[in-house]
Amino acid sequence: MSTLKRKRGGKGSAEKKAKKAKFVENGNEQESKKEITVPAPVSAGKWKNKERVLIFSSRGINFRTRHLMQDLRTMMPHTKADTKMDRKDKLFVINEVCEIKNCNKCIFFEAKKKQDLYMWISNCPHGPSAKFLVQNIHTLAELKMTGNCLKGSRPLLSFDPQFDKEPHYALLKELFTQTFSTPQYHPKSQPFVDHVFTFSIADKRIWFRNYQIIEEDASLVEIGPRFVLNLIKIFQGSFGGPTLFENPDFVSPNMHRSEIRLATAAKLREKSMVKELQKVKRTEAKEVLVKDVTDMVFATPADENPMQIEMEPPIELKKKKHKLFQKRRSQQTN
Amino acid sequence: MIKDINSIMEAVEEDAQLGHHSEEDDSDISDIEQEDAQLGEESEEDDSEMSDGALQEAFAMGLLKPGINVRTLAPKKTVNNTEGLKQSLANISKTLPWVERLDLTNQPAEDIFATPETKQTAKTSEAIDSNNDFQREMFFYRQAQATVLEAMPRLKKLNIFTKRPDDYFAEMAKSDQQMQKIRKKLIAKQAIMEKSEKAKKLREQRKYGKKVQVEVIQKRQKEKKAMMTAVKKYQKGMTDKLDFLDGDQKATKGLEQKNAKGANPNQKKAMNKKGPNAKRRSKDDRFGFGGKKSGKKWNTKESHNDVSGFRAKLAHGKGGKAGKGGKGGKFNNKRPGKSVRKKMKGRS
């Protein structure tokens, strides 16, 4: 009887027998298969691709980041969680944490100044790592994202063709693929493929979206979460090592904020300078022009202009607000 | 080529043959210097220490150009170790079958709803304007669509299902509560939209209804009027036919007949030209439009200045008897005295 309950795997649903998996929706999730102990053949295949991702964060994150992390863990069943890391510790400590947890990939969120969120993706023991600035976070809980998917179902990954053009993008593509795709026959995974992750490049940033596949004709609804990644650097080692790539278009959020402040300050300074100059001009002794007698030689009286009577009131032009600085992607607010 | 303005100024003063023109005020120079200092630009060379001789040599070599030379920031050199990147990529790639990775790279699918006038469908991601939310999101959507369309047959071949059967219950990423909330919100939105639509329609209907009502009332009044005039005409003996009693039938039947008969309408027109009766007209003058008499006895500027009713002879009493006498004895208004009247009475 107990075996009747537990079917969760490719075959169980394919053969439409009475032995179908029925789970109560309160989340009576039971692990049906561990590769070592096989009480009954539950899953159609063996879990070979041992990919485990560790998702955790530093201290000082806000609620949105916390929810984003939770959402990523929901979406990806091959992830593990860990406690918050103290910022005093150096980053290479993370490698050790990963080793302890037996994970070979890591996603680490770092919050600075309670405003900026940075994300590290790394291949843990020796591999490359990348640091991003995360912006425009929307979590699963937003009511505008109406889609839903099975918890732990395997995703399709969709990449922009631009990812194949540059070597750093190609490396990132490989890293994303290995991190975000759920291994086949993972014990916590569901056999269906019902959602798709999209990675696109726009405005020199990487945009992440998650859609649910409703129909076979590719009608989609967004599930969430969604965020934008701005690449900062790619390192050869995990959380350290020589820099392989530095993004020339990246402006650190601090720089960005200071640029805005400087711009407004410069504007004000210019205004005050102009005012001063005008004052000086007014108080200056004005030059008295000597009248030249020969000036009037060629003067001819001008024709009288016909008197113009305006029948319509003058048009008032709308004053345009000139923004000195086009504000970039909205920063994560506290 | 990064030069310092100050040193150039000195060079100009020294040797005008260099042909540098600088028309800037002192304030502008200080401005630029200030800005330089604040933005933290660092020039590659230490220009303030460049001597005039070095400058002249540079000019001789052709490095200096005429005009205002401004300090610019050298382009930042960023690391781009393509070899290293490729090496790392090779290191981490695992040879996994596609079924493990399930990744696809593709252009967005065709947008079936876009017309050339409304939106330009971006073919590549470089073409989209990331500030145009709708275009951007549609691009991502279509990219996902293209992936799904490509992946479906491949998954089918590998016996992986995308559609879960209806009786397959399992834990979902969003809890039921969440989905309930979402559904409620959607329904609320829809309800609001419907309400506003209804309100709009009602308003339109009311407007239209009012118009129709007014028209109907006017029509009825016209008909009544026509009937009354027809009756009166008959009373006065202008027409001896009692056609108007069948009025409605005729109206519905004889639209063509009406148009065919030329005489009748002309006759009617003739009648109507004279308009209302003389009696009616006089009554109108006296009492029509609230009675014009009511405004006629005001002592306004115009009436005060109006001396048309002044007869100088009458006023000064000069022309009175002559005027009266001129009219004739019998027709004058003056009444004879009592004795004369008695006499007259006695006679007759």
Side-chain angles (χ1 to χ4, degrees), chain A residues 41-301:
Chain A
V42 200
S43 167
K46 237 182 153 185
W47 174 33
K48 286 182 198 154
N49 177 18
K50 303 289 172 65
E51 199 71 60
R52 291 183 196 86
V53 181
L54 181 67
I55 299 186
F56 70 121
S57 75
S58 72
R59 301 187 131 264
I61 54 172
N62 65 357
F63 66 95
R64 213 185 294 268
T65 318
R66 206 174 0 101
H67 280 276
L68 176 65
M69 274 192 352
Q70 277 176 3
D71 295 340
L72 283 177
R73 277 189 217 134
T74 318
M75 283 288 135
M76 309 197 290
H78 56 290
T79 52
K80 289 191 184 172
D82 196 31
T83 55
K84 290 186 195 160
M85 189 189 83
D86 225 357
R87 234 171 302 129
K88 280 184 274 167
D89 305 331
K90 306 284 178 183
L91 282 175
F92 57 75
V93 170
I94 302 178
N95 289 323
E96 295 174 9
V97 176
C98 282
E99 223 187 285
I100 293 170
K101 288 261 171 169
N102 193 15
C103 292
N104 53 3
K105 295 277 186 305
C106 176
I107 298 180
F108 175 64
F109 288 99
E110 196 181 348
K112 289 238 169 103
K113 277 189 167 184
K114 292 190 185 175
Q115 276 176 322
D116 314 317
L117 179 68
Y118 297 97
M119 177 166 99
W120 291 83
I121 292 190
S122 132
N123 182 16
C124 266
H126 326 281
S129 51
K131 185 176 181 188
F132 300 94
L133 174 70
V134 188
Q135 291 165 318
N136 284 15
I137 299 176
H138 294 261
T139 56
L140 264 184
E142 302 226 344
L143 291 178
K144 296 216 170 160
M145 321 255 202
T146 49
N148 199 355
C149 69
L150 287 171
K151 186 169 180 179
S153 61
R154 299 185 62 212
L156 274 176
L157 299 172
S158 165
F159 289 96
D160 202 338
Q162 265 197 54
F163 273 102
D164 292 331
K165 289 185 189 163
E166 313 261 324
H168 60 272
Y169 281 142
L171 179 61
L172 283 179
K173 178 180 167 182
E174 187 59 35
L175 210 51
F176 287 150
T177 313
Q178 290 187 8
T179 311
F180 286 99
S181 62
T182 307
Q184 205 183 16
Y185 309 128
H186 189 281
K188 286 194 192 164
S189 68
Q190 303 269 9
F192 299 103
V193 173
D194 63 353
H195 65 293
V196 49
F197 287 160
T198 315
F199 296 89
S200 326
I201 299 180
D203 193 23
K204 297 175 187 152
R205 292 172 169 84
I206 301 173
W207 300 69
F208 173 87
R209 295 281 181 276
N210 179 12
Y211 295 101
Q212 175 195 8
I213 304 168
I214 304 177
E215 287 293 321
E216 303 274 316
D217 66 349
S219 54
L220 307 167
V221 174
E222 187 157 0
I223 311 171
R226 49 150 90 166
F227 48 87
V228 179
L229 299 172
N230 198 353
L231 176 65
I232 304 175
K233 278 190 183 179
I234 302 183
F235 300 99
Q236 194 184 10
S238 168
F239 293 100
T243 313
L244 288 176
F245 179 78
E246 204 180 317
N247 187 4
D249 305 310
F250 174 72
V251 175
S252 89
N254 279 334
M255 277 293 260
H256 185 238
R257 288 188 279 258
S258 76
E259 273 175 357
I260 293 174
R261 256 180 277 134
L262 280 176
T264 46
K267 196 174 159 194
L268 282 173
R269 224 182 306 124
E270 219 185 283
K271 269 193 193 170
S272 62
M273 267 204 322
V274 166
K275 272 193 195 166
E276 276 183 36
L277 275 173
Q278 282 180 346
K279 256 196 209 170
V280 168
K281 270 194 188 169
R282 250 185 281 140
T283 55
E284 235 172 30
K286 294 194 180 121
E287 193 186 316
V288 182
L289 291 170
V290 182
K291 243 191 172 181
D292 192 3
V293 187
T294 56
D295 262 346
M296 303 298 290
V297 174
F298 291 112
T300 49

Side-chain angles (χ1 to χ4, degrees), chain A residues 296-313:
Chain A
M296 303 298 290
V297 174
F298 291 112
T300 49
D303 296 327
E304 243 192 45
N305 277 354
M307 190 172 72
Q308 277 192 351
I309 305 167
E310 282 195 47
M311 301 301 240
E312 291 157 4

